[in-house]
Amino acid sequence: APEASVSNGGDTEGGKELVELKVIWNKNKYDVKFCLDSTGAELKQKIHALTGLPPAMQKVMFKGLLPEEKTLREIKVTNGAKIMVVGSTINDVLAVNTPKEAAQQEVKAEENKKEPLCRQKQHRKVLDKGKPDDVMPSVKGVQERLPTVPLSGMYNKSGGKVRLTFKLEQDQLWIGTKERTEKLPMGSIKNVVSEPIEGHEDYHMMAFQLGPTEASYYWVYWVPTQYVDAIKDTVLGKWQYF
């Protein structure tokens, strides 16, 4: 088969690496096993087979809009990843013209629960302790590369001291507290969220999403603003900045 020539490394036709996905469309959930080296466009074909929704009508979301030309491996899709599909079949559209808009509103609403994070109670608890005394200096308006030393002097959501070490050669993020160090493969971090801290805009609060839901966010407070982009790029890979 021609694909064999472009497969990367030891994948043989039969031994393709599969990843388990949860495809969610119109309140339906589909468990799908799919080849990691297939592209977004091929996934759309598969979704078409499942839902009857033509690829042209699908908006497929995984950490933003799914790029059609990239493979699932390239965009770091991991086992258990949730793939949201927004769109309506022709019949739905003919039956009533709003489902597509409604579905898009739903996605929007999910994305826009936009009370500033730093006003939410769980975060206030930590932020009200004030700036840690050994916080790293921040530099406004500059984007710096990650320092070679761990980022330290930050709090986690229980108000404990936390430091972040980026082990690029192992492709891991180490989150260290007094009690222990969690060694997370970068690929297991599904998203990174950050927001400036009100009144201290040169520092951010940042969350690493370790599981499928918001409950899995690992919050870190007082991240110097000059490292925020570098952290996101490092953890998520550059691909999602279209």
Side-chain angles (χ1 to χ4, degrees), residues 3 23-24 27 38 44 51 92 111 114:
E3 293 113 289
V23 173
I24 299 167
K27 310 227 185 327
S38 300
K44 286 188 160 184
T51 61
D92 295 342
E111 289 170 359
K114 266 303 183 220

Side-chain angles (χ1 to χ4, degrees), residues 18-227:
L18 295 175
V19 64
E20 294 181 13
L21 308 173
K22 284 211 176 324
V23 173
I24 299 167
W25 173 68
N26 266 5
K27 310 227 185 327
N28 301 317
K29 292 196 171 90
Y30 305 89
D31 287 312
V32 179
K33 284 204 159 110
F34 206 65
C35 174
L36 258 184
D37 294 305
S38 300
T39 60
E42 290 169 297
L43 181 59
K44 286 188 160 184
Q45 294 297 338
K46 174 85 174 175
I47 291 170
H48 183 198
L50 286 173
T51 61
L53 189 62
M57 318 245 334
Q58 295 173 22
K59 215 168 133 187
V60 182
M61 316 284 287
F62 172 74
K63 297 191 193 168
L65 212 50
L66 185 85
E68 289 202 356
E69 66 291 285
K70 293 219 158 80
T71 67
L72 303 193
R73 189 188 298 277
E74 286 177 301
I75 59 172
K76 300 209 173 33
V77 172
T78 49
N79 262 333
K82 282 197 174 143
I83 308 283
M84 299 286 293
V85 181
V86 180
S88 313
T89 62
I90 296 292
N91 301 349
D92 295 342
V93 173
L94 295 178
V96 50
N97 261 324
T98 55
K100 190 165 179 183
E101 272 144 34
Q104 282 169 350
Q105 303 289 228
E106 250 172 68
V107 169
K108 273 275 179 299
E110 272 309 297
E111 289 170 359
N112 286 344
K113 289 182 182 151
K114 266 303 183 220
E115 177 193 21
L117 294 167
C118 53
R119 291 194 198 148
Q120 294 173 12
K121 206 157 74 210
Q122 53 161 342
H123 302 308
R124 284 269 38 116
K125 279 207 311 260
V126 183
L127 293 172
D128 287 345
K129 289 175 64 154
K131 207 188 279 191
D133 38 15
D134 54 352
V135 73
M136 293 176 88
S138 80
V139 187
K140 257 206 178 112
V142 179
Q143 290 179 7
E144 291 186 18
R145 304 176 57 149
L146 287 175
T148 47
V149 298
L151 289 175
S152 60
M154 296 168 296
Y155 288 140
N156 61 14
K157 69 168 180 245
S158 56
K161 275 299 172 54
V162 63
R163 66 182 175 278
L164 302 177
T165 312
F166 294 88
K167 293 282 185 188
L168 302 184
E169 56 292 348
Q170 287 135 304
D171 206 28
Q172 290 180 341
L173 165 60
W174 290 11
I175 298 181
T177 57
K178 237 188 8 254
E179 295 72 44
R180 61 171 185 275
T181 298
E182 303 262 4
K183 301 180 176 180
L184 303 171
M186 299 277 190
S188 71
I189 300 173
K190 299 183 168 37
N191 201 359
V192 179
V193 188
S194 77
E195 188 178 280
I197 296 173
E198 270 186 330
H200 301 277
E201 276 71 10
D202 44 346
Y203 288 94
H204 281 232
M205 43 193 284
M206 179 176 273
F208 299 101
Q209 185 181 347
L210 308 180
T213 64
E214 293 206 359
S216 67
Y217 281 12
Y218 189 101
W219 285 98
V220 177
Y221 303 88
W222 304 102
V223 178
T225 181
Q226 69 269 31
Y227 299 129

